[in-house]
Amino acid sequence: MAVAVGRGFLLQPSSSSSFISKDVNKSSIGITSAFLPAKPGTTRRYLATVVRAQQRPTWLPGVDPPPYLDGTLAGDFGFDPLGLGEDPESLRWYVQAELVHARFAMAGVAGILFTDLLRVTGIRELPVWYEAGAVEFKFASTRTLFIVQLLLMGFAETKRYMDYISPGSQAKEGSFFGLEAALEGLEPGYPGGPLLNPLGLAKDIRNARDWKLKEIKNGRLAMVAMLGIFVQASVTHVGPIDNILEHLSDPWHKTIIQTLANSGS
């Protein structure tokens, strides 16, 4: 973002000839200094202009981010081509939604790869990930598991939404069976305490920008990976470990291009 600040100084005329010189500071803010020629018998005017502040990284070099994405959010690279975050309240909601989806994606990718590795190596007899939901377990019926999951997830998501609406309300004494200290919230979207932050990372969440940035970057990568896993399963009907092993067996002929071409024929 360009910042221009002009300030004039009156200097006594010099006997030397008029000249123009520029000196740009190499720090994060560029300073351009110029001596402008003056008419005989008049004073010279010295101008110091801040021409440009250091540009922050953007999703596309050279693109100016929208004004509402000012770089204060973790992982903000000015990407909002549809203008979804123009409304401050909508932007606040989208930030939380992306954070939750990123965490689910990271857990999903890790779970799929780990169980698929156990299945392919023969360590455990497990179904491929996209058929795991249809498996009947002996200790409970599918309907029972669904209801239990609905209740647990519904409770957790309700608490999260209430904390979003009224930050800090879910950390008040008596709001969670006396376990509030174990789930000490740091700020909306960032619960803490020994249960959800056992290593004590980012205890001062307001100064934990690096941790937030790492999380959202890995989360975005995981969301893209989940999309790839979905497409692979739909096209090849096997798990991701099978896909990578098949590709490594013949890297020049078993690629995404050949796979998509063969699936369409």
Side-chain angles (χ1 to χ4, degrees):
M1 180 178 65
V3 179
V5 180
R7 191 172 185 180
F9 298 89
L10 295 178
L11 302 178
Q12 295 298 324
S14 172
S15 60
S16 60
S17 60
S18 301
F19 66 96
I20 297 177
S21 65
K22 294 184 179 180
D23 179 21
V24 179
N25 194 340
K26 296 182 180 180
S27 63
S28 60
I29 297 180
I31 305 294
T32 301
S33 304
F35 287 98
L36 300 181
K39 295 180 180 179
T42 63
T43 59
R44 299 184 187 279
R45 185 173 297 273
Y46 173 85
L47 297 179
T49 305
V50 180
V51 293
R52 183 172 294 272
Q54 185 180 24
Q55 291 184 341
R56 63 184 177 89
T58 56
W59 67 279
L60 185 63
V63 173
D64 291 330
Y68 52 87
L69 296 179
D70 55 4
T72 57
L73 296 172
D76 175 13
F77 294 98
F79 181 80
D80 188 16
L82 300 180
L84 300 177
E86 290 183 0
D87 177 56
E89 190 60 30
S90 297
L91 179 61
R92 180 169 168 258
W93 174 261
Y94 287 135
V95 168
Q96 296 298 316
E98 182 187 35
L99 191 58
V100 171
H101 282 80
R103 289 168 178 170
F104 271 115
M106 287 188 285
V109 170
I112 288 173
L113 293 179
F114 180 69
T115 56
D116 211 42
L117 188 61
L118 294 179
R119 180 185 63 83
V120 171
T121 56
I123 296 176
R124 290 290 300 274
E125 187 176 348
L126 299 172
V128 67
W129 71 269
Y130 51 81
E131 295 178 352
V135 175
E136 294 284 347
F137 295 94
K138 296 180 180 180
F139 62 88
S141 65
T142 302
R143 180 177 298 179
T144 301
L145 293 174
F146 174 75
I147 294 175
V148 170
Q149 181 179 1
L150 190 65
L151 292 174
L152 293 176
M153 290 295 297
F155 176 76
E157 287 299 297
T158 301
K159 297 282 285 184
R160 184 178 67 84
Y161 180 72
M162 292 171 66
D163 190 62
Y164 167 80
I165 297 297
S166 179
S169 62
Q170 303 309 297
K172 294 180 180 179
E173 186 177 355
S175 63
F176 191 60
F177 311 114
L179 300 176
E180 297 81 18
L183 301 168
E184 181 184 4
L186 303 175
E187 69 179 36
Y190 294 93
L195 290 180
L196 298 178
N197 189 17
L199 299 180
L201 302 176
K203 286 186 176 181
D204 184 4
I205 195 64
R206 300 187 185 281
N207 296 321
R209 183 174 179 83
D210 288 343
W211 288 108
K212 289 182 178 180
L213 182 60
K214 290 175 182 178
E215 180 185 36
I216 200 62
K217 279 186 173 182
N218 282 280
R220 289 168 179 170
L221 182 62
M223 287 189 282
V224 175
M226 280 301 306
L227 177 61
I229 290 174
F230 290 156
V231 174
Q232 282 182 318
S234 177
V235 174
T236 64
H237 307 292
V238 295
I241 301 298
D242 289 316
N243 285 140
I244 190 64
L245 290 178
E246 184 178 5
H247 168 67
L248 293 176
S249 66
D250 191 0
W252 296 106
H253 299 93
K254 294 183 178 180
T255 65
I256 185 174
I257 299 176
Q258 282 84 1
T259 301
L260 291 175
N262 293 334
S263 65
S265 59

